[in-house]
Amino acid sequence: MEENLAQYSGAWGPPGGWRAPQGARGGRSLSSVLNELPSAATLRYRGPGVLPWGAVEDEEQDGGKSPQSFPEVTPMQPQDPHPSRELPWPMEARRAHRQSQSKDPAAYTSGSWAAHWARLLSRSKEKMKEGVRTLQPWAWTLKKIGGQFGGGTECYFSLLRFLLLLNAVASVFEVCMKLLPAWLDGAPPGPPGPPASSCGSYNPHAQGLVTFPTQIFNLLSGEGYLEWSPLFYGFYPPRPTLALTYLCSVFASGFVCLLLILRRSVSGLRQTMLAESGALTSYSHRVFSAWDFGLCGEENVRLRQRHIRYELQVELEEAAVQRRAAGRTLGQWTWVWLVRTLLNLLVLALLGAAFYGVYWATGATAELKERSLVQQTPLLKLVVDYLPSIFISGVNFVLPPVFKLIAPLEGYTQSRQIILILLRTVTLRFTSLLFLLISLWNQITCGGNVEAEACQPCGYNYKELPCWETKLGQEMYKLLLFDLLTGLAVMLFIQFPRKVFCGLCPGALGRLAGIQEFQVPDEVLGLLYAQTVVWVGSFFCPLLPLLNTAKFLLLFSLKKLTLFSTCSPASRTFRTSTANLFFPLVLLLGLAISAVTVFYSIFLIPPSKLCGPFRGKSSIWEHIPESIEKLPQTAQNFLFFLGSQAFAVPLLLLSSILMACTVALANSYGRLISEFKRQIETEARNKVFLAQRAVALSSANGAL
């Protein structure tokens, strides 16, 4: 027994190296032993010149004893060569360290010059990042929204700010590469006269006096005086320089948007991987490591407390659902999967009906326009023009609430339910837009039959659509405008009256109306859908990104007003990391859909013969080879080399090698991280075991 005692006492270090127990007690508690572990002693050291953790409390408990009762855990003040801000010390110790370094110039030259300049460079980068963060608009507003309504709502407004940046960048490209070149070589000419060509004539200007209601209807539909304006494709003249810049602006703006979205997606992927691995979502992290000690002001502290509370709420909800799922029997799992199968079949049926309705509404619009009653009534003509937009908006307004009612019946977690709702709503919105475009393409290309009577002379339906690019631009313009008008109508006639009604009727009628919550999935998908519409229509309506920038500025103010005045925090919360990954991925999907539609129009559909900068060409892309042929021979050879197999095959091999190296490096890092985690778990078990043995030996010693 004595040998064992000597062995364990030696393991704990020399007898004089630890503080004696307080008072005469027969046994020692586990907490007192844990406080004397080497890890606890390390935590006690708070830097030079600062009292250790717990010194004030011990001084009070010991009747005013000196804090030097910890001589062994407060070492000599070291001359650390690292910058003060990089040391794990409190602010007082950092200030003392900085002052000592300023008095001793040799401290700066203790390391190598390379390390010194590396530190200066890292500080400069941090200052630049801080400066960029201070220039971000609405930073305080986003922090306030995140603290009061949760991280999901904050992600919506952060995404809105990011989309505003994308539209501002695209607007700069559109103005500099389309609008300015159209006016530099002189004012663009007017529409062609009546005997324009064998493809008919095209004159969008109305003849005679135009009434004021007709002007309003033209503003809403993009017809009349707007049809031949810089807003649409047909206005731009057929000039070689303008045609080249017009086509290059599409690729340039798309490439820049792709880079910005990928950068945001990578940061969101990193956060999601950390969250799913359990490194950031554990309760200990939320309780002990999530607090920001640099907060100043009572309001900032309250916002941070609310933010942590929302994160803990999400974790507790996820854990409760997982516990219920783990306790299910085989029969219960069979019933759950049967219910999920039936509900998914119902969702597919609803989506199929919606897609067919969009296709029918687009085809019926062309037939209704030919009727004399519609042509004689401007208001009825406006309704017919907006029939596809009305149907798409109606479907997007009705089906998402149905998806919300279906999702809880499937037995998934809250985060999984929101992901399913988002996926179904994404499918609804994007596929509805695709069916609208497919219906329009069928009208333009006569159902794909180039030999048809209406398409044979010019390659497209020139009788109904003499400038089909402008027609596509008008449809995207109407979708954008109708989406804005619908949002304003919902705010003015549904959300604000509902809030007033709940305030005036606090009883049963108020509870019947219900508490308004900010529906993050619907709002986010509305933003992504509107941005996809802009990307699709920017080639046919060049100023559409500029209009969308103004729309998003107005939308941010209105949504913030609605959020703080009419909405309460959402009961269905979800992880911020999931939103940071899922939303950019959906945005990438929208960019891919818009790229496919624009490339199809550029490569496969003949351009209009009566309007636009590519009139008279067999295809829009034909202008690029013609421009390359005008370059010097050296430039031509270089461009042809970039498109040859001699360049593509080595590039593919190099990319494969880099990808393989990246995957191997990621696997090695993953194995190393797993090994570190196992070591941490082993150390934790060792400490608990040693603490238990120490308590047992201390109790036995006290009994003796």
Side-chain angles (χ1 to χ4, degrees):
M1 183 67 181
E2 294 177 357
E3 294 177 359
N4 293 336
L5 288 173
Q7 178 182 356
Y8 285 109
S9 62
W12 286 104
W18 302 98
R19 184 177 53 169
Q22 299 176 6
R25 294 181 296 181
R28 305 179 64 187
S29 63
L30 179 61
S31 60
S32 63
V33 177
L34 289 176
N35 287 332
E36 295 183 358
L37 287 174
S39 59
T42 304
L43 291 175
R44 286 178 178 274
Y45 179 60
R46 304 176 61 193
V50 183
L51 295 178
W53 290 103
V56 179
E57 291 81 3
D58 292 337
E59 180 180 355
E60 295 175 355
Q61 293 176 3
D62 296 342
K65 291 184 179 180
S66 174
Q68 299 300 326
S69 57
F70 299 98
E72 68 284 352
V73 295
T74 308
M76 299 291 292
Q77 295 185 6
Q79 293 294 331
D80 201 320
H82 292 84
S84 302
R85 64 187 309 170
E86 297 179 2
L87 297 175
W89 296 346
M91 295 302 297
E92 298 177 2
R94 292 180 183 179
R95 292 193 188 101
H97 183 266
R98 190 182 305 112
Q99 291 175 1
S100 64
Q101 282 191 341
S102 62
K103 295 178 181 179
D104 186 11
Y108 289 99
T109 60
S110 58
S112 62
W113 281 102
H116 177 67
W117 286 108
R119 288 197 300 269
L120 290 179
L121 183 61
S122 63
R123 292 176 186 176
S124 302
K125 289 182 179 179
E126 290 180 0
K127 290 181 180 180
M128 291 179 62
K129 290 180 180 179
E130 291 178 0
V132 171
R133 282 195 294 267
T134 56
L135 293 177
Q136 289 181 351
W138 307 310
W140 167 247
T141 303
L142 293 182
K143 184 183 296 185
K144 187 176 180 181
I145 291 171
Q148 188 166 347
F149 295 93
T153 308
E154 181 184 0
C155 285
Y156 166 79
F157 285 91
S158 177
L159 179 65
L160 180 56
R161 182 178 64 181
F162 177 70
L163 293 180
L164 185 62
L165 171 65
L166 292 184
N167 284 275
V169 172
S171 301
V172 172
F173 279 105
E174 300 293 334
V175 171
C176 295
M177 302 184 71
K178 292 182 182 179
L179 191 60
L180 291 181
W183 292 91
L184 290 178
D185 295 337
S197 67
S198 60
C199 296
S201 60
Y202 174 63
N203 188 9
H205 294 312
Q207 303 297 327
L209 183 63
V210 180
T211 61
F212 180 74
T214 305
Q215 296 279 12
I216 298 297
F217 295 151
N218 290 337
L219 176 64
L220 295 176
S221 61
E223 299 178 354
Y225 61 93
L226 281 181
E227 189 169 348
W228 195 267
S229 68
L231 185 61
F232 293 109
Y233 167 91
F235 170 81
Y236 296 88
R239 296 169 183 168
T241 305
L242 176 61
L244 182 61
T245 57
Y246 194 101
L247 194 56
C248 291
S249 66
V250 178
F251 298 102
S253 61
F255 182 70
V256 171
C257 290
L258 177 63
L259 292 180
L260 293 175
I261 296 172
L262 287 177
R263 181 178 179 273
R264 187 180 179 91
S265 302
V266 168
S267 61
L269 178 62
R270 188 184 303 115
Q271 296 177 9
T272 303
M273 292 179 65
L274 289 174
E276 295 298 331
S277 64
L280 295 181
T281 56
S282 59
Y283 303 123
S284 60
H285 169 78
R286 303 298 182 197
V287 175
F288 297 107
S289 305
W291 187 256
D292 185 4
F293 289 92
L295 292 176
C296 298
E298 184 179 357
E299 187 174 1
N300 290 330
V301 172
R302 286 201 306 269
L303 292 177
R304 186 58 184 171
Q305 289 174 346
R306 292 173 183 172
H307 192 74
I308 296 175
R309 179 170 62 87
Y310 279 116
E311 291 177 346
L312 289 174
Q313 178 184 351
V314 173
E315 297 299 327
L316 292 173
E317 290 175 355
E318 296 285 335
V321 175
Q322 290 175 1
R323 284 196 302 269
R324 289 197 299 268
R328 288 173 183 162
T329 61
L330 180 60
Q332 291 175 343
W333 275 113
T334 304
W335 171 255
V336 167
W337 282 107
L338 178 62
V339 171
R340 290 176 181 176
T341 303
L342 294 177
L343 291 176
N344 281 296
L345 291 176
L346 176 61
V347 169
L348 290 177
L350 293 174
L351 292 176
F355 300 154
Y356 177 77
V358 172
Y359 187 85
W360 170 85
T362 309
T365 302
E367 299 178 1
L368 292 175
K369 283 184 178 180
E370 298 178 356
R371 298 186 179 182
S372 58
L373 179 62
V374 175
Q375 295 177 356
Q376 295 174 2
T377 309
L379 181 59
L380 188 59
K381 183 177 181 297
L382 180 65
V383 173
V384 171
D385 288 337
Y386 270 88
L387 185 59
S389 302
I390 293 173
F391 194 88
I392 291 176
S393 299
V395 166
N396 293 333
F397 184 77
V398 172
L399 287 187
V402 177
F403 297 155
K404 292 177 188 174
L405 295 176
I406 292 175
L409 303 177
E410 297 178 285
Y412 291 111
T413 60
Q414 293 285 347
S415 299
R416 185 67 60 84
Q417 290 178 23
I418 292 177
I419 292 297
L420 286 176
I421 294 172
L422 287 172
L423 287 175
R424 290 163 181 170
T425 311
V426 164
T427 305
L428 172 66
R429 290 180 178 269
F430 286 175
T431 313
S432 300
L433 181 61
L434 281 178
F435 270 83
L436 172 64
L437 293 172
I438 290 172
S439 179
L440 291 173
W441 284 333
N442 285 335
Q443 296 179 18
I444 295 170
T445 60
C446 302
N449 185 12
V450 185
E451 302 298 329
E453 181 180 356
C455 295
Q456 191 172 9
C458 303
Y460 63 95
N461 193 352
Y462 68 94
K463 293 182 179 180
E464 296 182 4
L465 302 170
C467 187
W468 62 267
E469 296 92 347
T470 298
K471 174 64 178 177
L472 279 176
Q474 288 173 347
E475 290 296 330
M476 300 301 108
Y477 171 79
K478 287 185 285 188
L479 284 175
L480 179 70
L481 193 59
F482 192 77
D483 183 67
L484 175 62
L485 296 177
T486 304
L488 293 175
V490 169
M491 293 179 194
L492 295 176
F493 300 110
I494 295 180
Q495 293 180 345
F496 284 106
R498 182 179 173 184
K499 178 65 176 180
V500 173
F501 181 77
C502 291
L504 296 177
C505 304
L509 292 177
R511 290 193 300 269
L512 182 64
I515 300 176
Q516 293 189 86
E517 296 180 356
F518 192 81
Q519 303 296 335
V520 177
D522 294 344
E523 300 292 344
V524 168
L525 267 300
L527 289 181
L528 301 181
Y529 170 75
Q531 186 59 45
T532 305
V533 169
V534 170
W535 280 331
V536 172
S538 60
F539 182 80
F540 312 104
C541 184
L543 298 186
L544 202 61
L546 189 61
L547 296 178
N548 201 39
T549 303
K551 173 194 168 183
F552 280 164
L553 283 172
L554 178 62
L555 192 64
F556 190 95
S557 302
L558 293 177
K559 290 296 182 182
K560 186 182 71 171
L561 176 64
T562 305
L563 181 68
F564 285 104
S565 59
T566 66
C567 296
S568 61
S571 59
R572 300 166 62 93
T573 55
F574 61 102
R575 292 176 178 172
T576 307
S577 57
T578 304
N580 289 334
L581 174 65
F582 186 79
F583 295 160
L585 289 182
V586 177
L587 199 59
L588 283 175
L589 177 62
L591 183 62
I593 292 175
S594 62
V596 170
T597 57
V598 173
F599 288 161
Y600 179 82
S601 302
I602 289 176
F603 289 100
L604 298 179
I605 303 180
S608 299
K609 309 299 181 184
L610 303 175
C611 65
F614 303 99
R615 66 185 74 172
K617 306 290 183 181
S618 59
S619 68
I620 296 176
W621 180 254
E622 183 183 350
H623 188 78
I624 297 297
E626 293 180 356
S627 301
I628 292 176
E629 292 177 356
K630 298 177 182 178
L631 295 175
Q633 189 64 33
T634 305
Q636 293 185 31
N637 295 335
F638 177 73
L639 293 176
F640 288 144
F641 171 73
L642 293 180
S644 63
Q645 296 180 357
F647 177 77
V649 173
L651 180 63
L652 180 61
L653 292 176
L654 181 61
S655 302
S656 302
I657 293 173
L658 291 177
M659 187 177 299
C661 294
T662 304
V663 171
L665 189 62
N667 292 334
S668 63
Y669 284 159
R671 289 192 297 269
L672 186 61
I673 291 172
S674 301
E675 184 64 28
F676 285 157
K677 288 181 178 179
R678 285 194 295 269
Q679 291 181 7
I680 292 173
E681 294 174 358
T682 304
E683 291 293 333
R685 288 194 296 266
N686 291 340
K687 288 183 178 181
V688 172
F689 174 75
L690 291 175
Q692 292 174 351
R693 296 295 297 171
V695 170
L697 292 174
S698 178
S699 301
N701 190 16
L704 292 176

